[in-house]
Amino acid sequence: EVQLVESGGGSVQAGGSLRLSCTASGFTFERPYMGWYRQAPGNVCELVSAITSSGNSYYADSVKGRFTISRDNRENTIYLKMNSLKPEDTAVYFCAAESTPGLGARYADCLQPPNYWGQGTQVTVFS
């Protein structure tokens, strides 16, 4: 059974930093494409950042220059370092991994197939 376990959310003042972690287990294939989505109330689930097994990364325009994704393949863990946080970054952040090739740019709601999903972690940025 595939499991994605997240940690690292919380509350922070605008301009502050947080780091999210996600550890994967149970995959039948090695080193899937993995990433982070977020969903705020009333908004769609959007892909924030993603990383391949070789380290190639994707960032949404809204987080470029502020967020950094990284990956430790030995530990099957990905990280999202979030700097210069803004109130509009407030959302539930979900770790995801591909079950079919690729990760969609957005969904109506997170936790939908075909991706594998973590349980979500709340990030709140207050001004």
Side-chain angles (χ1 to χ4, degrees):
E1 179 185 1
V2 172
Q3 285 192 320
L4 303 176
V5 180
E6 302 148 346
S7 62
S11 296
V12 64
Q13 193 168 18
S17 299
L18 287 171
R19 190 179 82 154
L20 307 181
S21 302
C22 172
T23 299
S25 62
F27 282 97
T28 58
F29 57 97
E30 292 188 353
R31 303 177 182 177
Y33 188 39
M34 295 181 66
W36 293 93
Y37 289 80
R38 68 185 181 188
Q39 187 164 27
N43 288 3
V44 299
C45 174
E46 62 171 346
L47 181 62
V48 173
S49 183
I51 188 166
T52 68
S53 59
S54 59
N56 294 318
S57 58
Y58 160 85
Y59 296 96
D61 288 343
S62 58
V63 306
K64 281 181 181 176
R66 300 188 298 121
F67 290 12
T68 302
I69 193 168
S70 60
R71 180 170 187 149
D72 184 339
N73 286 326
R74 295 170 301 172
E75 300 294 330
N76 294 321
T77 298
I78 64 169
Y79 305 93
L80 185 68
K81 182 65 186 301
M82 305 182 292
N83 294 327
S84 302
L85 282 161
K86 304 175 181 180
E88 51 263 44
D89 294 317
T90 295
V92 179
Y93 284 69
F94 295 87
C95 175
E98 62 179 354
S99 65
T100 58
L103 292 173
R106 62 185 52 83
Y107 302 91
D109 292 290
C110 294
L111 302 178
Q112 291 184 347
N115 299 340
Y116 297 112
W117 297 93
Q119 77 278 10
T121 185
Q122 177 71 45
V123 171
T124 302
V125 185
F126 55 92
S127 56

